[in-house]
């Protein structure tokens, strides 16, 4: 079941709804597996007969849980699907996954029908459009706890579609029909203030780990063909609140022999997900068919390190890093820092990466990063300068010697 209340008014850009909480519950017989409430609003750019318009709308009062929703099985993940529109022509879907400690929303997808003139007035196209994004590190919670995030979270489902979630309170993989009193609160809802230690005590910064071991990671499609290759050492830098309510910046190396690899393959989008017992890290890559360049477009992380007070979640879906030509592998031997958010960054070491157009399961010709190119150029410049200096000294010596000989006279 689902309930919603919404008010629509018309702007020049289209139809705008005021969002209200939508409650939902997914059951299997007499058992409840997914339950909660959320606010969801959408911003969709579409073509009209006069150019381009933007429709901003929320889940309306008619939203309901679709028959597509399920509690899942060993082979099929649990899914919450909310349908809305006069003929249920639009569907917002959340897919869930879990490990031994956490459950999470792994994917969010939206199917919207441009034939709906109430939401997409004067649309020049018709038919159902589908978009999807991997958000496994943005919404996660401890098992047998309720995920709560009052703060707004904006998620880019595609270049034209943005989803904003707020007022989220839900639980999946439920052990009873009621939401758990134990809550996993998102990082955006955590207080930003810190408590200073007593004057008589000192706080030692976390130890700095050594250079991380280089891991060999790959993702294959359903046919066993490798679609993502990565050789790299990874070090995560996270600023978080400790169990003593202190804000610290902590470095943690990703251990390749303790890491599980997964991901997705696509023509213009692919992903690499690295998981261990305390950390889930996802890299998303995009290929620009026009420029024939690919790049790192998004990074997300969820972590529950030993001294963290709550699950740490952070991500950025608007990156444009590690750019490289299609058909080549990106190489950077030097240490790089990828700044994802103000409280989360990644240090990479001896990186080689290729997320598209892999042939024979091997890296293509390398394209070096700018740092490596500059590091190679510096010795050349220094060597040329030294050679020039030696040449100047030699020429000066020969000229001086010639003048000395010319000064002697025969007696």
């Amino acid at each position: 079941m689902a309930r919603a209340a919404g008010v629509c008014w018309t702007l020049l850009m289209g139809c705008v709804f005021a969002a209200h909480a939508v409650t939902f519950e997914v059951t299997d017989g007499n058992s409840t597996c997914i339950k909660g409430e959320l606010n969801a609003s959408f911003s969709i750019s579409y073509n009209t007969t006069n150019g381009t318009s933007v429709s901003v709308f929320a889940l309306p009062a008619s939203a309901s849980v679709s028959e597509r929703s399920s509690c899942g099985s060993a082979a099929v993940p649990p899914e919450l699907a909310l349908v809305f529109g006069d003929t249920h022509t639009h569907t917002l879907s959340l897919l869930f996954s879990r490990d031994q400690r956490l459950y999470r929303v792994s994917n969010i997808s939206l199917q919207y029908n441009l034939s709906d003139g109430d939401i997409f007035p004067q649309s020049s196209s018709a038919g159902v459009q589908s978009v999807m994004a991997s958000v496994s590190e943005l919404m996660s919670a401890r098992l047998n706890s309720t995920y709560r995030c009052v703060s707004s979270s904006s998620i880019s489902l595609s270049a034209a579609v943005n989803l904003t979630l707020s007022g989220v309170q839900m639980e999946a993989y439920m052990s009873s029909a009621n939401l758990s009193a134990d809550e996993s609160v998102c990082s955006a809802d955590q207080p930003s203030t810190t408590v200073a230690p007593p004057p008589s005590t000192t706080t030692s910064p976390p130890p700095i780990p050594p250079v991380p071991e280089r891991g060999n990671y790959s993702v294959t499609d359903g046919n066993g063909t490798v679609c993502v290759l990565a050789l790299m050492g990874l070090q995560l830098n996270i600023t978080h609140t400790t169990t003593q309510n202190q804000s610290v910046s902590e470095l943690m190396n990703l251990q390749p022999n303790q890491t599980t690899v997964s991901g997705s393959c696509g023509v213009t989008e692919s992903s690499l997900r690295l998981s261990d017992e305390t950390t889930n890290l996802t890299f998303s890559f995009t290929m620009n068919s026009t420029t024939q360049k690919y790049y790192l477009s998004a990074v997300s992380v969820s972590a529950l390190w030993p001294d963290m007070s709550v699950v740490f979640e952070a991500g950025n879906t608007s990156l444009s890093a590690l750019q490289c030509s299609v058909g080549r592998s990106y190489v950077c031997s030097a240490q790089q820092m990828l700044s994802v958010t103000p409280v989360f960054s990644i240090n990479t070491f001896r990186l080689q990466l290729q997320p598209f157009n892999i042939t024979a399961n091997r890296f293509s010709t390398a394209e070096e990063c700018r740092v490596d190119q500059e590091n190679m150029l510096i010795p050349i410049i220094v060597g040329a300068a030294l050679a020039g200096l030696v040449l100047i000294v030699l020429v000066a010596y020969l000229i001086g010697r010639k003048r000395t000989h010319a000064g002697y006279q025969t007696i």
Side-chain angles (χ1 to χ4, degrees):
M1 64 178 180
R3 299 190 302 273
V7 178
C8 173
W9 64 92
T10 302
L11 299 180
L12 292 176
M13 63 171 54
C15 188
V16 178
F17 287 91
H20 292 273
V22 175
T23 62
F24 51 84
E25 182 175 0
V26 178
T27 60
D28 184 4
N30 295 325
S31 300
T32 299
C33 60
I34 306 172
K35 186 177 183 179
E37 66 177 21
L38 57 78
N39 296 310
S41 60
F42 309 88
S43 173
I44 300 179
S45 174
Y46 66 100
N47 294 324
T48 68
T49 53
N50 298 321
T52 303
S53 185
V54 177
S55 180
V56 180
F57 60 96
L59 288 175
S62 57
S64 62
V65 174
S66 166
E67 295 180 354
R68 177 171 136 190
S69 302
S70 75
C71 291
S73 63
V76 179
E79 179 178 8
L80 167 67
L82 299 173
V83 293
F84 56 99
D86 291 339
T87 57
H88 289 174
T89 54
H90 315 289
T91 304
L92 173 65
S93 173
L94 282 69
L95 280 177
F96 295 84
S97 62
R98 58 168 289 180
D99 54 32
Q100 295 180 349
R101 300 180 309 108
L102 305 174
Y103 70 89
R104 59 186 61 82
V105 178
S106 57
N107 287 285
I108 296 180
S109 63
L110 176 68
Q111 291 181 331
Y112 59 98
N113 195 334
L114 292 173
S115 302
D116 187 341
D118 292 332
I119 295 181
F120 304 105
Q122 299 181 345
S123 173
S124 60
S125 302
V128 176
Q129 308 293 314
S130 298
V131 292
M132 182 182 70
S134 173
V135 294
S136 55
E137 316 309 334
L138 298 181
M139 302 173 65
S140 61
R142 298 183 301 275
L143 288 172
N144 299 317
S145 72
T146 300
Y147 174 82
R148 178 171 67 82
C149 196
V150 178
S151 302
S152 296
S153 175
S154 181
I155 301 167
S156 176
L157 299 182
S158 73
V161 180
N162 285 291
L163 165 68
T164 300
L165 296 175
S166 63
V168 180
Q169 186 177 25
M170 67 179 178
E171 183 177 357
Y173 300 97
M174 299 177 66
S175 57
S176 68
N178 298 317
L179 293 176
S180 173
D182 180 24
E183 290 187 332
S184 293
V185 182
C186 69
S187 57
D189 285 0
Q190 297 299 314
S192 58
T193 57
T194 59
V195 178
S200 59
T201 63
T202 58
T203 302
S204 299
I208 298 176
V211 173
E213 181 182 351
R214 195 184 194 197
N216 188 350
Y217 310 110
S218 62
V219 178
T220 57
D221 60 17
N223 299 322
T225 303
V226 175
C227 64
V228 179
L229 277 176
L231 277 171
M232 56 188 173
L234 295 175
Q235 188 175 79
L236 309 187
N237 187 351
I238 291 178
T239 301
H240 64 89
T241 303
T242 68
T243 52
Q244 290 78 37
N245 202 25
Q246 296 172 344
S247 179
V248 298
S249 292
E250 187 173 0
L251 292 172
M252 184 75 73
N253 290 348
L254 204 65
Q255 304 294 337
N257 60 351
Q258 300 175 13
T259 301
T260 301
V261 184
S262 60
S264 62
C265 303
V267 178
T268 59
E269 293 184 351
S270 61
S271 66
L272 171 66
R273 185 181 183 203
L274 306 175
S275 305
D276 60 22
E277 292 184 355
T278 62
T279 308
N280 293 297
L281 178 66
T282 300
F283 299 93
S284 298
F285 305 94
T286 300
M287 181 174 70
N288 188 323
S289 301
T290 303
T291 63
Q292 286 296 291
K293 297 281 187 179
Y294 65 80
Y295 57 93
L296 177 67
S297 55
V299 174
S300 58
V301 67
S302 68
L304 188 58
W305 296 350
D307 199 30
M308 286 182 172
S309 58
V310 296
V311 176
F312 175 87
E313 297 171 320
N316 189 333
T317 59
S318 57
L319 297 175
S320 184
L322 312 183
Q323 294 192 29
C324 185
S325 301
V326 174
R328 292 179 177 266
S329 62
Y330 177 89
V331 172
C332 201
S333 300
Q335 177 182 341
Q336 286 191 109
M337 186 190 76
L338 300 176
S339 180
V340 182
T341 73
V343 294
F344 171 49
S345 62
I346 303 174
N347 297 325
T348 66
F349 299 79
R350 294 186 298 156
L351 170 66
Q352 185 169 15
L353 171 74
Q354 188 170 351
F356 300 102
N357 293 40
I358 296 172
T359 304
N361 297 341
R362 293 181 297 183
F363 285 112
S364 301
T365 303
E367 186 172 303
E368 292 184 326
C369 65
R370 179 176 298 178
V371 177
D372 282 1
Q373 293 174 356
E374 292 174 351
N375 288 345
M376 183 178 295
L377 188 61
I378 290 174
I380 295 175
I381 295 174
V382 172
L386 290 175
L389 181 61
V390 170
L391 182 61
I392 291 172
V393 172
L394 181 59
V395 170
Y397 168 75
L398 293 175
I399 293 174
R401 185 176 179 183
K402 183 177 180 181
R403 288 179 177 176
T404 302
H405 282 290
Y408 290 101
Q409 300 293 329
T410 303
I411 299 177

